[in-house]
């Protein structure tokens, strides 16, 4: 799957003051000069005061916690929306909200937020990579190609640009060129699972089943519980007429795939369709039940 990495807005005056207050309070408590309850109360009071002085950063931090610590996407979305509604939100918050919108399948909102963030963070390679991915999903391939080029120029030795270009070229049906881009990404980072899966997809489309199997086997070793990996491993098994094995892999992919998260490479409905086809070909007796 491709998601926005964990973003945290460090460079905000409220954060610096919070660090100073916390460090001073801990020092005074450790020195025995003040009661620990006074220090805790002071920090809590400053956090509450932040809702009045800098609500944009407080809501952003709360959204960060909701997403990455508590894994509550709906609440995280509400927090980030409150941050954005202040009109003073950081570009990192735009990126985080765009990532949530992308995961929820709202590609238009995700693209709009990423474009706004790109105006403030023009040198962020991953931002342009994610924008290229979103535009590819929307079918806006010429724009996606331009963003992939920008991501590649900014990424340096990182494989981000190659992966973005592979996605665009595959969406255009140019699987040979897409495979070349993915190969460059794998050479740059052999542990990059999305690049190996993209390469496997291209090889399957080109009829190179053995080469596709080598990529999915490598991906399975790197990330055996990834539903995208399991799905493409199943597609390779299906291409080699190992129908029962394909059904088992599709079933495992279905079990590990969150229904509502659209940021994975393979849509949920495609896994369901693949599993149904495998069952119809093999018969229920050969497959485990969900």
């Amino acid at each position: 799957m491709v998601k926005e990495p964990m973003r945290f807005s460090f460079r905000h005056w409220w954060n610096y003051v919070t660090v100073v207050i916390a460090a001073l309070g801990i020092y005074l408590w450790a020195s025995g000069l003040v009661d620990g309850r006074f220090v805790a109360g002071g920090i809590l009071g400053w956090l509450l005061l932040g809702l009045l002085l800098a609500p944009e950063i407080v809501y952003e931090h709360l959204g960060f916690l909701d997403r990455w610590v508590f894994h509550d996407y709906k609440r995280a979305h509400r927090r980030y929306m409150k941050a954005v509604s202040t009109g003073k939100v950081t570009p990192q918050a735009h990126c985080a909200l765009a990532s949530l919108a992308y995961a929820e399948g709202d590609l238009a909102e995700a693209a709009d937020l990423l474009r706004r963030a790109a105006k403030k963070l023009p040198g962020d390679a991953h931002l342009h990579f994610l924008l290229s991915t979103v535009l590819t999903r929307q079918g806006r391939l010429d724009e996606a190609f331009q963003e992939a080029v920008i991501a590649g120029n900014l990424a340096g030795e990182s494989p981000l640009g190659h992966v973005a270009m592979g996605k665009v070229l595959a969406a255009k049906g140019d699987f040979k060129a897409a495979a070349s881009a993915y190969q460059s990404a794998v050479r740059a980072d052999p542990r990059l699972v999305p690049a190996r899966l993209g390469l496997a997809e291209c090889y399957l489309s080109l009829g190179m089943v053995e080469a596709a199997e080598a990529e999915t086997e490598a991906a399975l070793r790197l990330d055996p519980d990834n539903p995208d990996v399991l799905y493409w491993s199943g597609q390779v098994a299906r291409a080699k007429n190992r129908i029962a094995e394909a059904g088992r892999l599709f079933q495992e992919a279905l079990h590990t795939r969150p229904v509502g998260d659209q940021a994975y490479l393979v849509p949920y409905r495609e896994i369901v369709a693949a599993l149904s086809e495998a069952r119809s070909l093999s018969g229920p007796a050969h497959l485990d039940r969900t």
Side-chain angles (χ1 to χ4, degrees), residues 131-141 144-145 164 167-168 171:
L131 180 54
S132 177
T133 300
V134 171
L135 292 171
T136 300
R137 283 273 184 96
Q138 288 184 297
R140 296 160 62 181
L141 299 183
F145 183 89
K167 288 176 178 291
V168 177

Side-chain angles (χ1 to χ4, degrees), residues 147-246:
E147 293 298 330
V149 171
I150 294 173
N153 291 337
L154 294 173
E157 296 182 359
S158 168
L160 283 176
H162 297 305
V163 176
M165 190 62 69
K167 288 176 178 291
V168 177
L169 293 171
K172 288 186 173 185
D174 190 347
F175 292 106
K176 287 186 178 180
S180 178
Y182 284 128
Q183 287 167 352
S184 297
V186 170
R187 284 194 296 269
D189 184 357
R191 298 185 61 82
L192 191 61
V193 170
R196 288 196 175 275
L197 294 183
L199 195 50
E201 179 184 7
C202 290
Y203 284 152
L204 281 176
S205 298
L206 295 169
M208 302 168 62
V209 180
E210 297 296 332
E213 185 174 34
E215 296 303 325
T216 55
E217 286 179 349
L220 273 172
R221 289 192 295 271
L222 292 168
D223 195 357
D225 297 323
N226 186 323
D228 288 327
V229 173
L230 292 166
Y231 171 83
W232 283 111
S233 298
Q235 289 291 10
V236 168
R238 170 70 180 85
K240 302 194 78 169
N241 205 34
R242 301 198 300 258
I243 305 303
E245 179 185 348

Side-chain angles (χ1 to χ4, degrees), residues 53-195:
L53 299 177
E56 71 280 3
I57 198 68
V58 174
Y59 282 125
E60 181 179 335
H61 291 342
L62 290 173
F64 183 94
L65 291 173
D66 284 330
R67 178 174 185 181
W68 297 106
V69 177
F70 303 113
H71 305 291
D72 188 335
Y73 275 38
K74 289 184 178 180
R75 181 174 292 181
H77 200 143
R78 290 197 298 269
R79 305 279 201 194
Y80 281 120
M81 284 300 295
K82 286 183 178 180
V84 170
S85 69
T86 65
K88 298 182 290 185
V89 70
T90 67
Q92 286 79 11
H94 274 126
C95 291
L97 184 55
S99 175
L100 284 171
Y102 176 58
E104 293 168 346
D106 192 341
L107 300 179
E109 181 185 12
D112 178 63
L113 288 163
L114 288 168
R115 287 201 183 281
R116 280 193 264 171
K119 292 179 181 179
K120 296 184 178 181
L121 294 173
D124 190 317
H126 194 102
L127 194 161
H128 289 283
F129 164 74
L130 190 58
L131 180 54
S132 177
T133 300
V134 171
L135 292 171
T136 300
R137 283 273 184 96
Q138 288 184 297
R140 296 160 62 181
L141 299 183
D142 290 338
E143 296 173 71
F145 183 89
Q146 293 174 1
E147 293 298 330
V149 171
I150 294 173
N153 291 337
L154 294 173
E157 296 182 359
S158 168
L160 283 176
H162 297 305
V163 176
M165 190 62 69
K167 288 176 178 291
V168 177
L169 293 171
K172 288 186 173 185
D174 190 347
F175 292 106
K176 287 186 178 180
S180 178
Y182 284 128
Q183 287 167 352
S184 297
V186 170
R187 284 194 296 269
D189 184 357
R191 298 185 61 82
L192 191 61
V193 170

Side-chain angles (χ1 to χ4, degrees), residues 16-34:
Y16 294 129
V17 175
T18 302
V19 171
V20 170
I21 291 174
L24 180 60
I26 292 171
Y27 170 77
L28 293 174
W29 169 71
S31 302
L33 299 176
V34 297

Side-chain angles (χ1 to χ4, degrees), residues 30-52:
S31 302
L33 299 176
V34 297
D35 187 278
R37 290 171 294 181
F38 177 81
V39 174
I43 295 174
L44 179 59
W46 173 248
L47 294 175
L48 294 174
L49 189 60
L51 291 171
L52 296 176

